[in-house]
């Protein structure tokens, strides 16, 4: 399950992706616009900066901005930076694999299904860029208007 950290991080970077290229904004503005606790958002944005997704500048005219174009940021990479591996269990993880003590990894039905869950999540999250995610609400609105 995606954590609040992951959800808030995605909401914050979508907010930044809606700004003009190269523009930055204050943490307080992002927090208020997206109903995110500011102190928690400070931590999240710091982690995204350390992972190379954001850059920041201190001071009155400072703030956070995207470190690269939204078209070049993969959603799955940001989720992993904030929440860790996508797999629901360590035995199903590709990068943080740990065998279970209570089952045979080659025949455990739970593990085999969770590997498929991990792959399905990765397929979606690793094929969407931040730009595509940003544009989802507009696509939904257009589809809804076309429907009615």
């Amino acid at each position: 399950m995606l954590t609040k950290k992951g959800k808030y991080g995605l909401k914050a970077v979508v907010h930044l992706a809606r700004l003009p290229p190269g523009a930055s904004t204050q943490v307080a503005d992002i927090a208020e616009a997206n109903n995110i606790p500011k102190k928690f958002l400070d931590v999240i944005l710091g982690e995204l900066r350390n992972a190379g997704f954001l850059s920041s500048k201190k001071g009155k005219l400072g703030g956070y901005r995207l470190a690269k174009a939204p078209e070049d940021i993969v959603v799955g990479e940001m989720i992993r930076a904030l929440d860790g591996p996508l797999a629901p269990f360590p035995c199903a993880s590709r990068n943080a694999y740990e065998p279970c003590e209570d089952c045979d990894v080659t025949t455990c039905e739970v593990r085999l299904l969770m590997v498929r869950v991990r792959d399905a999540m990765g397929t979606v999250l690793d094929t969407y860029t931040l730009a595509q995610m940003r544009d989802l609400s507009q696509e939904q609105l257009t589809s809804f208007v076309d429907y009615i």
Side-chain angles (χ1 to χ4, degrees), residues 51 53 68 72-82 125-126:
F53 296 107
K68 37 188 173 175
D72 297 329
I73 299 175
V74 176
V75 174
E77 293 173 2
M78 284 188 300
I79 292 294
R80 287 181 189 92
L82 292 171
L125 295 173
D126 291 336

Side-chain angles (χ1 to χ4, degrees), residues 2-58:
L2 184 65
T3 65
K4 282 206 178 203
K5 183 200 287 189
K7 180 181 179 181
Y8 291 163
L10 289 177
K11 288 175 85 168
V13 294
V14 168
H15 181 98
L16 292 171
R18 288 190 175 118
L19 298 176
S24 62
T25 190
Q26 299 282 327
V27 176
D29 296 332
I30 300 169
E32 183 178 336
N34 293 282
N35 206 20
I36 302 170
K38 184 187 174 299
K39 285 186 179 188
F40 193 24
L41 188 58
D42 280 326
V43 172
I44 294 166
L45 295 180
E47 288 184 25
L48 288 170
R49 183 191 63 233
N50 292 341
F53 296 107
L54 304 178
S55 60
S56 64
K57 184 177 178 184
K58 292 185 180 192

